[in-house]
Amino acid sequence: MPRVIVLDTLSPEGLSLLAADPRIQFDVRTGLKGEELRTALAEYEGAICRSGVKITADSLAGNTRLKAIVRAGVGTDNIDKEAATRLGIVVMNTPVGNTISTAEHTLALMLALSRNVAPAYHALLEHRWDRNKYMGTQLADKTLGVVGLGRIGQAVATRAGALAMKVIGYDPFLSPERAAELGVRLFPTVDAMLPEIDYLTVHTPLTDETRGLFGPKQLQIVKPGARLINCARGGIYDEGTLVEGLKSGKLAGVALDVFTEEPCTDSPLFGMPGVLCTPHLGASTEEAQAQVAVEGVTLLVNFLTTGDIRHAVNMSPLDAKTLDSMRGYLDVAYRLGLLLAQLDQSTARSCRLTYRGELAEKDTKLLTASFACGLLSAAMAVEPNIVNAEVLLRERGIELTTESKSEKGAFASVMGAELVTSQGKVRAAGTLFGHDMPRLVQLNDHQLEAYLDGVLMIFPHRDVPGIIGSVGTTLGRHQVNIAQMAVGRANRGGESVGILNLDDTPPAEALAEVRAHPAIHNTTVIKLPAAGKLPSWLQSGPP
Ligand code: NAD
Ligand code: MLT
């Protein structure tokens, strides 16, 4: 009989589901870490946790028994997913159970901040009746900026609308049509919104793009008197900048539920006027905890008793044979998605995929899902996988169409992808050399042959003598080594594109120098996984 370990406090609704199921045994063992956690995990087939326990590579080392870890909540940042995947352990989460509670907590912080609820109550505790000191502000008719309009961001936007706030937003993966349905006026960047907002709230994952999304530069341009709220992840607002903004009076208030380091019991923000903080309570409601516990237990028990996999964050439900036969092209599709998402970062509207030659005979739905994974990869709180990526794309109002043609072109198989955005259109096509060498064979109107891995520097230019030498010399001067080079041109002296595979990311000064060449139009740096490095869901077979 499979055994389950409960690693963090779970709501009674989840525990009684476990207790009532005769097909499994379970133990509640909270507060484990280090060696004690490692030996405990090795005694169970399934584990369920919240965010308290840290399941690191060390705590999974040598584990041959554990088959699944379920996170009762959204963020799986406390689980080493790569380590779990390598060991064939499925990691699942419950993405929807705490959406409403977190949205409500955001509103609670906004209201409490605006009406000085916490300091006014503190004054009463100190026997002071300070009616004049705590003058508040209304939310009605104020402008709320929402960054990240996924599940929680959308729930916040609709609720803010009901409070008669004007809602504006930024999310590169939300279509204008969906934004209009939500009553949100979309902006092209966060910075463009800042001069207009009275309140700012963020609901994105913490990524390289969102870390420090509000920093010193944003403090300069934000509307004076703005109030900032963060119920997503610590670090999205630079905490030092918040302190500066409050001290200078540029910011009227800051409310945080999440912190760069957690637990956080000491911060320069604590005690400053206009600050309101809670200890990561967004999902801490009876309803949310009951829902994530019930969803989590159901996922785990179904998996352990029937093999059913849903909401997996580190693998797809593919059987091993299909995965083996398609791995190379799934990788090409994924890399094309990553490439197009970086080539044009404005609002995505639609994608059109074409499969030509032998590829058209394969399961193109999987290839489409893999492309969608790449396209969304940088944007999601939880890395999308082949199971959920296409649905997530459609949920964001991004139209996806595919076309298959079995007649061959220049290659036995080729996959083309076109992304239409608010700014225009980008196109690319890829193929596979051998079993595992993805190649880019078309970029916009240019045919070429470039490696689809590592750091790419793309520079459209006019075909004049000396360009390659000049770019090479500039990069050499900045100690950036060129690994590969490809040029696509329509005709001599015409418009061309150069693609360099670089060993390192070129510094901004090097890019500026490259762009200073009169025949070079612009430069774009694209970061793709190293050759042979696959996303976690593409590495793993079934458990
Ligand atoms: P989600 O995946 O549904 O939505 C995230 C959205 O952010 C997506 O629509 C994505 O397109 C957008 N996005 C990504 N990068 C962006 C960028 N650079 N600029 C603008 N938008 C960007 O996730 P969710 O369930 O809504 O969760 C949002 C956040 O809230 C996550 O960080 C999650 O971990 C956190 N969370 C916190 C609590 C809490 O207790 N405080 C509870 C639940 C979730
Ligand atoms: C989540 O990711 O689900 C939230 O941060 C809430 C939690 O950690 O429980």
Side-chain angles (χ1 to χ4, degrees):
M1 183 182 293
R3 299 184 71 211
V4 166
I5 182 169
V6 180
L7 293 162
D8 285 313
T9 309
L10 209 61
S11 89
E13 286 82 351
L15 292 178
S16 39
L17 259 190
L18 283 170
D21 200 315
R23 298 167 300 172
I24 47 135
Q25 288 178 347
F26 80 101
D27 294 311
V28 179
R29 295 173 68 180
T30 58
L32 298 181
K33 54 184 175 200
E35 187 53 21
E36 208 187 351
L37 175 61
R38 197 185 72 77
T39 43
L41 285 172
E43 294 168 25
Y44 296 86
E45 278 74 29
I48 182 159
C49 64
R50 289 178 57 200
S51 57
V53 69
K54 306 284 174 249
I55 305 183
T56 61
D58 283 346
S59 46
L60 293 172
N63 196 318
T64 52
R65 187 157 170 180
L66 196 62
K67 300 274 179 290
I69 303 169
V70 171
R71 159 76 159 99
V74 181
T76 49
D77 11 13
N78 58 324
I79 303 166
D80 188 326
K81 291 176 286 297
E82 271 195 41
T85 305
R86 271 198 304 280
L87 292 165
I89 300 167
V90 187
V91 180
M92 296 178 255
N93 75 342
T94 61
V96 290
N98 58 29
T99 299
I100 301 298
S101 288
T102 310
E104 287 186 358
H105 195 62
T106 308
L107 269 295
L109 291 183
M110 275 168 62
L111 285 161
L113 197 60
S114 306
R115 303 308 297 270
N116 302 300
V117 171
Y121 179 55
H122 271 282
L124 282 179
L125 293 181
E126 288 162 7
H127 310 292
R128 285 185 286 111
W129 185 258
D130 283 340
R131 286 193 75 197
N132 293 335
K133 188 169 173 193
Y134 297 117
M135 182 61 73
T137 49
Q138 262 183 202
L139 294 191
D141 296 326
K142 299 289 186 314
T143 300
L144 169 67
V146 183
V147 183
L149 284 146
R151 295 182 195 93
I152 298 170
Q154 293 193 17
V156 168
T158 48
R159 281 157 182 75
L163 291 171
M165 296 188 85
K166 295 173 203 148
V167 187
I168 62 178
Y170 169 68
D171 186 326
F173 285 92
L174 190 80
S175 70
E177 292 74 24
R178 178 69 187 134
E181 275 170 32
L182 292 165
V184 176
R185 187 157 57 97
L186 276 185
F187 275 63
T189 61
V190 176
D191 288 3
M193 290 199 302
L194 292 179
E196 298 208 17
I197 53 107
D198 299 297
Y199 293 82
L200 182 72
T201 182
V202 282
H203 300 286
T204 67
L206 178 68
T207 63
D208 287 348
E209 277 75 40
T210 60
R211 192 185 308 279
L213 172 153
F214 190 92
K217 180 183 159 216
Q218 287 68 31
L219 184 60
Q220 297 298 315
I221 53 179
V222 72
K223 182 172 171 182
R227 292 178 170 84
L228 272 53
I229 298 99
N230 184 358
C231 282
R233 281 292 180 263
I236 297 178
Y237 296 151
D238 175 64
E239 288 173 7
T241 305
L242 299 180
V243 173
E244 285 311 309
L246 288 161
K247 271 190 191 155
S248 68
K250 186 81 188 273
L251 297 179
V254 166
L256 302 181
D257 183 46
V258 286
F259 301 87
T260 309
E261 293 291 332
E262 292 187 15
C264 174
T265 50
D266 193 16
S267 160
L269 286 162
F270 293 174
M272 285 185 81
V275 173
L276 177 60
C277 294
T278 48
H280 205 141
L281 293 184
S284 296
T285 62
E286 287 166 16
E287 294 81 358
Q289 286 312 311
Q291 206 172 322
V292 295
V294 167
E295 280 175 23
V297 166
T298 308
L299 283 177
L300 188 56
V301 172
N302 279 351
F303 172 72
L304 292 174
T305 54
T306 68
D308 191 24
I309 297 173
R310 283 173 52 227
H311 300 309
V313 299
N314 67 335
M315 68 167 292
S316 78
L318 273 177
D319 66 89
K321 209 165 145 229
T322 315
L323 182 64
D324 268 352
S325 72
M326 292 190 62
R327 187 173 275 116
Y329 270 105
L330 288 169
D331 191 25
V332 171
Y334 176 68
R335 285 166 191 265
L336 285 176
L338 290 173
L339 173 78
L340 291 192
Q342 293 175 70
L343 267 180
D344 185 340
Q345 297 184 14
S346 51
T347 306
R349 291 205 167 137
S350 65
C351 324
R352 188 161 166 275
L353 305 180
T354 42
Y355 301 104
R356 268 195 91 136
E358 290 160 14
L359 204 54
E361 313 296 327
K362 298 209 182 271
D363 184 349
T364 55
K365 235 184 131 20
L366 283 178
L367 294 161
T368 300
S370 190
F371 169 82
C373 283
L375 193 70
L376 288 177
S377 162
M380 308 304 296
V382 174
E383 190 189 5
N385 68 17
I386 215 152
V387 185
N388 60 12
E390 212 179 315
V391 175
L392 293 172
L393 207 62
R394 292 192 199 280
E395 265 178 18
R396 273 155 186 74
I398 301 168
E399 197 191 324
L400 184 65
T401 51
T402 63
E403 191 189 347
S404 296
K405 293 184 196 157
S406 44
E407 68 271 20
K408 290 179 189 158
F411 297 91
S413 282
V414 73
M415 173 177 174
E418 181 180 88
L419 177 68
V420 178
T421 71
S422 52
Q423 300 298 314
K425 216 184 253 183
V426 276
R427 272 186 298 140
T431 191
L432 193 67
F433 283 10
H435 295 292
D436 55 5
M437 291 181 279
R439 293 290 184 270
L440 181 69
V441 293
Q442 188 188 347
L443 185 63
N444 294 324
D445 293 332
H446 299 288
Q447 313 289 328
L448 37 75
E449 189 211 308
Y451 285 51
L452 257 180
D453 53 64
V455 179
L456 271 60
M457 189 184 96
I458 301 181
F459 56 103
H461 58 271
R462 198 160 30 82
D463 180 39
V464 294
I467 291 260
I468 303 299
S470 155
V471 173
T473 308
T474 303
L475 292 174
R477 211 171 35 249
H478 288 273
Q479 305 300 315
V480 180
N481 196 38
I482 300 173
Q484 301 288 339
M485 191 189 82
V487 178
R489 65 172 195 177
N491 49 50
R492 188 172 174 173
E495 289 304 313
S496 311
V497 66
I499 301 188
L500 300 181
N501 289 84
L502 304 175
D503 285 346
D504 298 292
T505 307
E509 303 79 50
L511 293 174
E513 283 174 38
V514 169
R515 279 195 297 271
H517 191 293
I520 294 182
H521 308 318
N522 59 57
T523 57
T524 309
V525 174
I526 304 286
K527 291 181 187 167
L528 297 176
K533 185 162 185 343
L534 301 172
S536 54
W537 50 264
L538 196 45
Q539 293 163 18
S540 58

